[in-house]
Structures are given as C-alpha cells and as structure tokens.
Amino acid sequence: MFTSYLKTIESIVGPYTEEEVYSIYADPNTGKTVLLLGEVFNAISQGQRVVWIDTEGGHEGMFKQFGPSYAKRFGVDINKLEDKYEYIQLLTAQELINYFGVDAEILYDKKISVLMKGFKTKPDGTIYENWGKKKGNLVIIIDSFSSPFRLGFSTKVENFSARADAQGVLVYGLLRFMRQTSAIVIMTHHSSRNPVDVYTQVGKVRGGNTVTYYSKYMLDIEKPKSRALEDYRQIFGVRTARGKSWDLRGWAKINSEGYVDSAQTEVDDIIMKKRKKAIEHLDDGSAGDL
C-alpha cells in the first residue's frame, strides 16, 4: 500500500492497495507518463518496488527530463535503483502476454485468433523470474495497455473478438500474478472520442469491456482547450468506491519538475483574469480563446 503524491488522486482512490487494478486514461500528450513517473519515486520512497512495462517507447526521454526532480522531491537516490526499479520494453501483445507467464499464441491468418495453452512451468523470461519470489511491496505499471492491441489488431470487425480474447488472456495472467504476489497494478490507456460529437467534453477509455470490468478504479485526465490552462489537468473519478462516477474530481498542474497539486480556486482565478483581458480587448478583435 502507498499513497499518491497528488491530493486529487488520493481523494478519488484513497491509498493504492494490493490486488487492485487502477486505470488512467487520457488523450496523447496529456501527461500520463509524467504523472506515473512521479508515482514511481513516490512509491519507492514509501518502501515499494516498481516494475515499469513500456509498450510505447516514450519512457526514456521523460525519465531523463523529470526523473531527477522527482527523485529529489521524494528523497530517492536515482543512481541506486537496481533492486527497487526495473524498466522493460514490450511492444507487442504477444510479448506482453508471454511476460506474465501465459502460454498463449496470437495466430495471424485471414482471421486473427488466440490459442490459449496454459501457463509456463518455468519462470525464465517472465515477470516471475525477478519479481515473483517475494510477496508484497510491489507496483506494476503498464504504460500503456492499449498500444500493443491497437498496433497488433486491425480495426476490421472480424478481428474484434480476437482482440478482446487477447486482452482477456493478458488480464488473466496479470490477475494470476497479482494473486501470487499481492502486487498493485496501475495501467494507462488511450482515450477514445466520437469525432462527430463536438459536445462531448471528456473521452472514454479505449479497451472496451475488458478494461472496464477489471479496473476497480478508473481515472480520466483531461487537458483544457484554453491556452491559458495548457499546463493544468483536470482529473475525474470515472470509477471509484468513494463516490458516484464523475462526481469526484480535482486539478493538478505540470511544471518543469513534473506534476504538482492545484485547486479549483487557482483555475477560476486564471479564467477570470483571461475573461477580463478579453473584455478589455474586444474593440481590437483579440478577445482570446475562452
């Protein structure tokens, strides 16, 4: 168990607890990876070990940019992470499934299918090899769950069931590992929007029922359209045991050192200043973007 470094997330999910799946989804370039990098050093400072599974290839640059500041903030020696932090890159759904010890094969023919055989009897090359021997104090981050399935499965309707099967097989292996190790799992997902619905202000998690069913806590991160708020993020509790869907929400901000807490009053003040400035410039046609 460990507590998030952002008050908004803590208010929505409480402490991160073992044997739960937490999902965070957002549009590209919203800041999912930056947020979770903060959780890495925060978790380590609270006695956790962390495995980061990168499926998109965006980890290295973010780690170099924000890692040192996060390490300093949470009192972690960034040069001594060997037994506390592991980074692994798995770009395909096949690699990801096999890494969690599932003996399954994705078959690509005229119609994609998934052949499920069971679990590997030997831990070599799986997450069990380094992290399955000790129970507790372990955090698994998958950034992102969506990417391998978007790249590996076409959008043809006939492949939808195979994609859902592959996602289900992965979740099966993941839950099995969680049961053995009491790990905390945090996953990121891509956001999906209806391009013809201009009135929808928030996105939906990409991944369908598989993600929704097994994520006990789900957060949506939204980046405001206003340029005045481009460094701010609104975080919604889409699924939480602490309240109704979408009722719990709050603000955070990204600066040169990563994510920091913010508040509604800070956002309201920026909006009011922007509106006042827009009114003052109505005559010259530069009313702003609010």
Side-chain angles (χ1 to χ4, degrees):
M1 177 186 299
F2 76 99
T3 304
S4 176
Y5 68 104
L6 293 176
K7 293 180 180 178
T8 291
I9 292 181
E10 182 185 357
S11 70
I12 294 173
V13 306
Y16 292 107
T17 58
E18 293 80 2
E19 301 180 349
E20 297 284 9
V21 176
Y22 298 84
S23 285
I24 299 173
Y25 69 94
D27 290 335
N29 300 316
T30 300
K32 300 184 296 294
T33 301
V34 178
L35 186 152
L36 288 181
L37 277 175
E39 295 291 24
V40 166
F41 290 97
N42 171 50
I44 291 173
S45 73
Q46 296 182 49
Q48 299 288 327
R49 302 167 296 148
V50 182
V51 179
W52 184 294
I53 302 171
D54 177 18
T55 69
E56 296 183 327
H59 175 274
E60 185 176 359
M62 294 295 182
F63 191 90
K64 288 181 178 179
Q65 182 176 355
F66 295 101
S69 59
Y70 276 136
K72 183 179 179 181
R73 188 193 308 186
F74 298 111
V76 175
D77 190 340
I78 199 171
N79 297 312
K80 296 181 179 180
L81 296 177
E82 293 83 3
D83 60 338
K84 301 175 182 177
Y85 180 66
E86 180 182 15
Y87 165 80
I88 182 169
Q89 188 177 77
L90 302 170
L91 299 180
T92 69
Q94 185 71 70
E95 290 176 321
L96 194 57
I97 288 171
N98 293 152
Y99 182 65
F100 280 97
V102 185
D103 190 5
E105 183 180 359
I106 300 175
L107 305 175
Y108 294 90
D109 200 346
K110 293 181 180 179
K111 183 178 180 180
I112 303 176
S113 61
V114 180
L115 177 61
M116 175 75 171
K117 303 175 183 177
F119 286 91
K120 295 181 180 180
T121 56
K122 295 182 180 181
D124 298 349
T126 71
I127 194 170
Y128 290 91
E129 185 174 8
N130 295 325
W131 304 99
K133 301 173 184 178
K134 181 180 177 182
K135 192 168 185 176
N137 299 325
L138 179 62
V139 181
I140 308 298
I141 294 176
I142 303 177
D143 185 32
S144 72
F145 182 94
S146 306
S147 183
F149 299 100
R150 291 188 67 181
L151 296 176
F153 294 81
S154 74
T155 56
K156 293 181 179 179
V157 174
E158 58 264 32
N159 291 328
F160 284 2
S161 59
R163 182 174 62 190
D165 286 345
Q167 291 174 337
V169 167
L170 172 58
V171 171
Y172 183 39
L174 181 60
L175 293 176
R176 185 175 184 271
F177 179 78
M178 290 170 63
R179 183 177 62 188
Q180 177 173 323
T181 62
S182 297
I184 298 168
V185 174
I186 306 173
M187 303 188 294
T188 68
H189 308 274
H190 297 160
S191 184
S192 178
R193 297 176 188 271
N194 184 347
V196 300
D197 184 1
V198 298
Y199 299 102
T200 300
Q201 298 299 311
V202 295
K204 296 181 179 179
V205 63
R206 194 177 185 105
N209 291 337
T210 301
V211 170
T212 303
Y213 288 160
Y214 292 101
S215 299
K216 301 307 179 185
Y217 292 88
M218 189 175 294
L219 305 176
D220 173 34
I221 304 176
E222 295 291 332
K223 181 179 180 180
K225 295 181 180 179
S226 170
R227 286 177 293 177
L229 296 173
E230 62 181 354
D231 295 331
Y232 290 80
R233 303 292 183 268
Q234 191 168 22
I235 304 174
F236 295 88
V238 180
R239 187 178 186 184
T240 172
R242 295 194 156 201
K244 295 181 180 179
S245 296
W246 303 99
D247 279 359
L248 298 179
R249 64 188 67 183
W251 290 90
K253 182 181 179 181
I254 300 179
N255 60 25
S256 60
E257 297 183 349
Y259 269 84
V260 295
D261 284 308
S262 185
Q264 185 68 53
T265 53
E266 183 177 347
V267 173
D268 290 342
D269 186 55
I270 293 173
I271 292 175
M272 291 303 297
K273 289 180 179 179
K274 184 67 177 179
R275 287 176 176 171
K276 182 178 179 180
K277 184 177 180 180
I279 292 172
E280 293 174 349
H281 291 83
L282 279 175
D283 291 339
D284 60 16
S286 56
D289 59 359
L290 285 178

